[in-house]
Amino acid sequence: MYPHLEQALKHHFGYDSFRLGQRDIITQALQNRDLLIVMPTGGGKSLCFQLPALLKKGLTVVVSPLIALMQDQVETLRKNGISATFLNSSLNSYKVRSREQYILGGKVKLLYVSPERLLSERFLPFLDLVNHQIGISTFAIDEAHCVSEWGHDFRPEYRQLSTLRQRYPGVPTLALTATATDRVRSDIITQLQLKQPNVHIASFNRQNIYYEIRPKKKYVYTELLEIIRKTEGSGIVYCLTRKKVEELAFKLQHDKISALPYHAGLSDTERSENQTKFIRDDARVMIATIAFGMGINKPDVRFVVHYDISRNIESYYQESGRAGRDGEPCRCTVFYGYGDLKTIEWSINQKTDPQEQLIAKHQLRQMIDYAEGTDCRRTILLGYFGEQFAGNCGNCDNCRHPKPVEDWTIEAMKFLSCVARCKERFGMAYIIDVLRGSKNQKIIQRGHEKLSTYGIGKDKTVDEWRMLGRSLLHQGLLTQSADGYGVLKLNAHSWEVMRRQRPVSIAVSPQQIATWKTESPK
Ligand code: ADP
């Protein structure tokens, strides 16, 4: 339909061909469709609004929350001879005025702006003028997951972006994000009021990453040291607190590893110095809190270690995803222990908003599921992004060192029947209590001790039932509500199991159960 697109791509960006998905997206953008684009970081999202911006009449307004990234993108575009500019709080009023004049002169194709600036009382009338004089061709909302409380980086000002739809109903919107679960995706569509958007979702699979979970034992530091010494090249070690970052960096330096700290408590100069040293390979290992990483593009990171577990899967995917951007093999390790869960739970309980608490608990539970899962890690991870993966990736600990697989069809039938008998209104812990015949007051009050499934699972431990429950979820044979309560629901596959039309095997790990027995959260 647009035979000239390849030529335009070559002419403006110097690339020979589109990456998977880009051509379709760009074609639809040129047809003025609303679009939601979900692609992993580095997938090539920017081109999806940059090229249409050049081919369409008028100005494309790009909303981006990170000032540093905005400046980077504009610089790169300018180097390619593309007329782009940005407006944000780093500019004085003289510069702002002169850039505004330049825009009104119709000389700019792409304007990057922060959401705060965009929604300010002074800016919207300016935008009206732009629309009137030269026309706004598209709104591109980068990092669109920021509209959702269910994402990993909620920003209330993003919510107000729906103003744009009301003020400029005829201008199409492109929403872009690197991480979006079903929930976040539908939030973006509703909050930004996208009109019958075409949704493009690229694969999130990072084939070159080896994923592993190790129980966090007493000698975790020695294990870390071993990983660092055995792996060539640079790496990032994530910790939950600044204090731990400092301690660990100090200890590693003492052990002759060139490691530097990075956290929000350091001065701006110190942070940027450390970052530059890491990028230039003057320091091999960065010990960091999650403050490190946004916008860092070091392609040859060979390992990412989570010395403490992440708070949620989305952050974990982002943080681990900083390894191996060059496509070469790399390793992502999580040290998983009960103590860290307690720390995170404590901080969740400090939240005053009950809705926020629920969301954070739900996200933590997903992370625990990943860490304790016995199925292929890649399958579990991609499952959270709504992506089906056939399993047996051959590049994670569970696939390389498979646990023995056992037929648990009978147990699965018991479990699912119990969910059905409890009318699909309870979470995993409750169902397991009923199965194991617990004398829990709530069970007695509800009369659930009279159910036929009460006490039929006494022969298995809580951890064994939990392992089965988790595996049923991972295999799609059971569903869990995403509202923070984690209510278990049956689906069509669950009924096949209950009707004996479908056998269930699960990977069992007696050793793991033994190790974590006293450690798994209740
Ligand atoms: P994202 O915004 O999805 O994180 P970017 O838009 O920054 O990713 O793109 C990542 C890299 O891929 C950039 O260096 C970009 O120039 C490059 N890139 C994007 N599209 C193409 C293409 N069709 N051919 C070659 N390189 C591309």
Side-chain angles (χ1 to χ4, degrees), residues 9 13 15-19 22 39-50 73 76 142 176 178 297:
L9 176 72
F13 295 91
Y15 302 139
D16 294 319
S17 57
F18 288 105
R19 289 203 183 141
Q22 283 177 331
M39 267 189 201
T41 308
K45 284 186 287 302
S46 319
L47 193 84
C48 299
F49 60 82
Q50 288 170 345
Q73 286 218 1
T76 315
D142 211 357
L176 304 108
N297 200 359

Side-chain angles (χ1 to χ4, degrees), residues 424 472 476-479 489-496 498:
E424 302 175 62
L472 291 173
L477 304 176
L478 176 68
T479 314
K489 304 268 180 198
L490 302 172
N491 58 31
H493 299 314
S494 323
W495 289 102
E496 286 169 17
M498 282 190 280

Side-chain angles (χ1 to χ4, degrees), residues 149-151 354-364 482-484:
E149 286 182 280
W150 292 87
Q355 171 74 356
E356 263 185 47
Q357 263 201 21
L358 269 184
I359 292 175
K361 281 186 182 162
H362 172 70
Q363 290 177 330
L364 181 61
D483 54 6

Side-chain angles (χ1 to χ4, degrees), residues 68-338:
L69 283 191
M70 214 184 269
Q71 291 172 346
D72 266 10
Q73 286 218 1
V74 168
E75 252 170 55
T76 315
L77 286 167
R78 283 198 184 146
K79 274 186 205 146
N80 280 329
I82 293 164
S83 168
T85 191
F86 65 84
L87 289 173
N88 62 34
S89 52
S90 71
L91 303 171
N92 61 32
S93 56
Y94 170 75
K95 273 203 168 154
V96 170
R97 299 267 130 67
S98 79
R99 287 191 183 189
E100 286 179 353
Q101 285 313 313
Y102 200 58
I103 294 165
L104 284 172
K107 298 196 177 90
V108 178
K109 294 307 290 178
L110 282 139
L111 167 66
Y112 283 74
V113 62
S114 61
E116 297 82 358
R117 156 103 18 192
L118 183 80
L119 299 161
S120 70
E121 279 182 24
R122 222 200 123 256
F123 191 77
L124 285 171
F126 165 72
L127 216 51
D128 289 344
L129 203 58
V130 174
N131 198 28
H132 182 68
Q133 291 192 1
I134 56 171
I136 299 172
S137 58
T138 303
F139 287 110
I141 317 289
D142 211 357
E143 314 287 348
H145 57 270
C146 295
V147 298
S148 173
E149 286 182 280
W150 292 87
H152 58 92
D153 192 14
F154 174 54
R155 300 183 184 220
E157 62 277 13
Y158 256 69
R159 282 274 160 97
Q160 293 157 33
L161 290 175
S162 56
T163 315
L164 298 176
R165 181 60 0 130
Q166 282 132 32
R167 211 167 167 119
Y168 311 104
V171 178
T173 302
L174 245 83
L176 304 108
T177 178
T179 47
T181 53
D182 266 348
R183 180 75 191 230
V184 177
R185 239 172 263 160
S186 60
D187 256 10
I188 295 176
I189 295 175
T190 327
Q191 297 291 340
L192 295 178
Q193 299 179 17
L194 302 186
K195 278 186 285 190
Q196 298 170 331
N198 273 357
V199 182
H200 293 266
I201 304 167
S203 172
F204 277 68
N205 188 10
R206 296 283 313 276
Q207 291 174 12
N208 57 322
I209 299 182
Y210 175 78
Y211 294 106
E212 64 169 356
I213 303 280
R214 299 189 185 194
K216 194 166 184 175
K217 298 195 212 122
K218 203 169 165 193
Y219 300 107
V220 55
Y221 176 75
T222 320
E223 264 190 70
L224 172 70
L225 206 55
E226 195 183 275
I227 293 177
I228 297 177
R229 286 187 172 144
K230 274 193 179 160
T231 321
E232 271 180 42
S234 17
I236 307 171
V237 180
Y238 281 106
C239 302
L240 276 175
T241 63
R242 297 173 188 182
K243 188 163 161 261
K244 253 200 187 158
V245 166
E246 292 287 346
E247 282 171 9
L248 202 54
F250 182 77
K251 254 174 136 172
L252 287 168
Q253 285 162 1
H254 182 77
D255 281 314
K256 307 269 179 298
I257 305 286
S258 77
L260 288 175
Y262 189 103
H263 57 72
L266 300 176
S267 71
D268 284 354
T269 335
E270 217 171 339
R271 267 209 315 265
S272 85
E273 264 176 26
N274 289 0
Q275 183 171 316
T276 312
K277 281 186 189 154
F278 179 65
I279 288 171
R280 289 192 186 149
D281 290 328
D282 293 337
R284 191 158 87 88
V285 187
M286 194 63 125
I287 317 297
T289 58
I290 47 170
F292 180 70
M294 278 286 217
I296 298 296
N297 200 359
K298 183 169 168 56
D300 56 351
V301 173
R302 293 275 68 85
F303 61 94
V304 170
V305 174
H306 280 75
Y307 205 63
D308 305 321
I309 199 162
S310 288
R311 284 161 202 274
N312 59 61
I313 291 266
E314 298 218 16
S315 310
Y316 180 65
Y317 181 83
Q318 285 296 323
E319 288 148 19
S320 60
R322 296 193 175 110
R325 289 265 170 88
D326 55 7
E328 295 299 316
C330 54
R331 166 189 294 266
C332 289
T333 309
V334 176
F335 285 107
Y336 173 63
Y338 187 44

Side-chain angles (χ1 to χ4, degrees), residues 301-463:
V301 173
R302 293 275 68 85
F303 61 94
V304 170
V305 174
H306 280 75
Y307 205 63
D308 305 321
I309 199 162
S310 288
R311 284 161 202 274
N312 59 61
I313 291 266
E314 298 218 16
S315 310
Y316 180 65
Y317 181 83
Q318 285 296 323
E319 288 148 19
S320 60
R322 296 193 175 110
R325 289 265 170 88
D326 55 7
E328 295 299 316
C330 54
R331 166 189 294 266
C332 289
T333 309
V334 176
F335 285 107
Y336 173 63
Y338 187 44
D340 298 335
L341 296 183
K342 280 278 152 229
T343 313
I344 299 178
E345 271 167 9
W346 183 86
S347 75
I348 292 176
N349 288 331
Q350 302 310 302
K351 289 182 189 286
T352 46
D353 181 347
Q355 171 74 356
E356 263 185 47
Q357 263 201 21
L358 269 184
I359 292 175
K361 281 186 182 162
H362 172 70
Q363 290 177 330
L364 181 61
R365 195 175 47 232
Q366 288 183 323
M367 193 65 221
I368 296 171
D369 276 0
Y370 171 74
E372 296 192 359
T374 44
D375 300 311
C376 162
R377 301 250 183 243
R378 201 164 248 99
T379 308
I380 306 176
L381 203 53
L382 293 175
Y384 287 108
F385 299 107
E387 196 174 329
Q388 298 274 336
F389 187 80
N392 289 327
C393 73
N395 202 21
C396 74
D397 51 356
N398 286 345
C399 287
R400 290 250 185 107
H401 314 286
K403 320 279 182 303
V405 173
E406 287 181 8
D407 184 324
W408 279 46
T409 310
I410 301 294
E411 286 79 3
M413 288 167 70
K414 287 183 183 171
F415 191 102
L416 296 171
S417 308
C418 194
V419 174
R421 298 262 180 246
C422 294
K423 305 219 162 11
E424 302 175 62
R425 281 170 43 211
F426 299 91
M428 181 109 58
Y430 189 87
I431 298 297
I432 294 174
D433 272 354
V434 176
L435 279 168
R436 300 190 71 248
S438 151
K439 301 265 179 324
N440 181 336
Q441 268 308 305
K442 289 196 174 134
I443 292 180
I444 312 294
Q445 277 163 13
R446 292 183 181 116
H448 283 167
E449 84 284 8
K450 298 192 191 81
L451 294 177
S452 57
T453 50
Y454 180 78
I456 57 169
K458 282 190 180 137
D459 55 328
K460 295 257 177 290
T461 65
V462 172
D463 285 316

